[in-house]
Amino acid sequence: MTGGAPFRREDREWTQDELDVMSNEELFQAYKDTGNQDLKWPLVMRYIGLVKSIALQVRGVYSSFAQVDDIVNEGLLTLAVAVDKFDPDKGIKFETYVSKRIRGAVIDLARRQDWVPRSVRRKARDIDQASSELFSELGRYPTDEEMAQRLGVSQNQYQEDLANSSMCNVLSLDALFEDREQNSSAEVPDGGLDSRPEDSMLRQEMLEILTKAIESLRENEQTVISLYYHKNLSMKEIAQVMEVSEPRISQLHSRAIQKLKLYMNQYMTGV
């Protein structure tokens, strides 16, 4: 589209041609500087590919009650809100910031639809509790055999329950970090989070701890985490890449998230 009607503000106007040649960063800055709502949706639509990628990635969460297009629309609304709340001065990439919120919006929508059977939620909580207890007792992440024994089920049943609980863990690490940020924000004065050098150091320290935790995972677990959270592949696509079954990928994902949660909880609580 070229030569369209200009986007107006009393002291500035942009033609569609001008918008087309602006980078995402330049368009974002123009919106932040002017607050011109006519710039907002052209900016939001720049990220529709990201929204679609996330919608496809977590399709297993909502496939029973919604279509991809419905989730994309929900994601775009979340994106529009995120554009207003995002602070580029905090040094976080907008894509990283908004990806977590879009994924969170999908999960919230799914929860409102009661998408996870009660039995699956209960088993996921049991697995969480057993892994936490055994980790404290053993000083390491428990084996499948130890987990099955603690839960009083066979190893095959444990692995099946682990795979079924995979989607319950999609936002587990994000929730962990959000809890930490909320607690930290309550102690920070008017400047906000990351306004002091110690806040930036804390964030860097957490990143280093998470990096070490990921490095402690088995190679196949690291691969699943990378493909899912960094490459935005779905479980089905990861299964094709790694040439194993989709339930096996779900098991690896759940096991990896359990390990990362335990390591990060230990760091955050100091226990």
Side-chain angles (χ1 to χ4, degrees):
M1 178 177 177
T2 59
F7 295 86
R8 297 184 180 279
R9 187 176 183 264
E10 59 182 5
D11 58 344
R12 181 69 170 93
E13 63 177 27
W14 292 265
T15 65
Q16 187 63 52
D17 290 334
E18 288 177 313
L19 292 177
D20 288 343
V21 298
M22 293 173 72
S23 68
N24 291 355
E25 291 75 16
E26 290 170 337
L27 185 54
F28 202 109
Q29 194 59 54
Y31 175 64
K32 284 294 184 182
D33 289 344
T34 66
N36 189 327
Q37 293 298 304
D38 286 334
L39 294 177
K40 185 173 184 176
W41 280 102
L43 174 60
V44 167
M45 296 307 293
R46 293 275 184 100
Y47 294 95
I48 191 171
L50 176 64
V51 176
K52 288 181 178 178
S53 176
I54 294 172
L56 291 172
Q57 181 194 27
V58 296
R59 182 184 290 177
V61 170
Y62 60 83
S63 58
S64 63
F65 65 85
Q67 301 297 315
V68 172
D69 288 346
D70 298 326
I71 299 303
V72 169
N73 289 337
E74 188 80 13
L76 286 174
L77 293 176
T78 301
L79 184 57
V81 173
V83 164
D84 288 323
K85 292 186 175 181
F86 179 66
D87 183 358
D89 294 332
K90 288 188 175 181
I92 304 173
K93 278 189 172 184
F94 180 69
E95 289 84 351
T96 302
Y97 173 85
V98 78
S99 292
K100 182 169 68 173
R101 277 147 186 81
I102 293 172
R103 195 178 285 118
V106 174
I107 299 299
D108 287 342
L109 179 63
R111 284 172 178 158
R112 293 197 297 271
Q113 298 291 333
D114 199 24
W115 63 284
V116 179
R118 188 173 302 173
S119 60
V120 173
R121 287 200 298 267
R122 176 176 54 78
K123 289 178 179 179
R125 287 195 299 267
D126 290 345
I127 290 173
D128 269 346
Q129 182 177 345
S131 64
S132 181
E133 291 173 352
L134 286 170
F135 185 78
S136 297
E137 295 170 12
L138 302 172
R140 58 172 172 77
Y141 190 79
T143 64
D144 285 0
E145 182 180 3
E146 290 166 336
M147 285 290 294
Q149 185 176 3
R150 175 59 62 94
L151 292 165
V153 298
S154 68
Q155 285 194 55
N156 286 340
Q157 183 63 56
Y158 166 66
Q159 290 170 353
E160 181 180 340
D161 292 342
L162 190 65
N164 290 336
S165 67
S166 178
M167 281 303 166
C168 293
N169 290 320
V170 168
L171 285 186
S172 291
L173 281 180
D174 287 337
L176 196 64
F177 284 120
E178 284 175 0
D179 287 344
R180 177 71 179 201
E181 287 185 3
Q182 288 171 4
N183 291 336
S184 297
S185 296
E187 302 169 1
V188 177
D190 294 341
L193 190 63
D194 286 341
S195 63
R196 303 176 304 181
E198 55 265 36
D199 297 318
S200 178
M201 291 175 62
L202 175 62
R203 185 178 295 277
Q204 181 61 34
E205 183 181 0
M206 289 177 66
L207 178 61
E208 291 173 359
I209 295 295
L210 178 59
T211 299
K212 290 179 181 178
I214 292 174
E215 290 174 350
S216 74
L217 299 176
R218 296 175 180 175
E219 184 177 353
N220 56 1
E221 294 167 346
Q222 290 186 41
T223 301
V224 170
I225 292 297
S226 176
L227 292 176
Y228 189 81
Y229 291 98
H230 296 291
K231 300 299 183 181
N232 285 332
L233 298 187
S234 66
M235 296 290 181
K236 182 177 181 180
E237 290 169 331
I238 297 173
Q240 293 171 346
V241 170
M242 298 181 68
E243 298 183 339
V244 297
S245 68
E246 192 171 344
R248 177 57 179 160
I249 295 300
S250 294
Q251 291 171 11
L252 291 170
H253 174 264
S254 286
R255 186 181 291 115
I257 293 299
Q258 288 288 341
K259 291 181 179 180
L260 295 177
K261 285 169 62 181
L262 290 170
Y263 276 106
M264 296 307 297
N265 264 322
Q266 185 181 44
Y267 160 69
M268 291 180 177
T269 61
V271 177

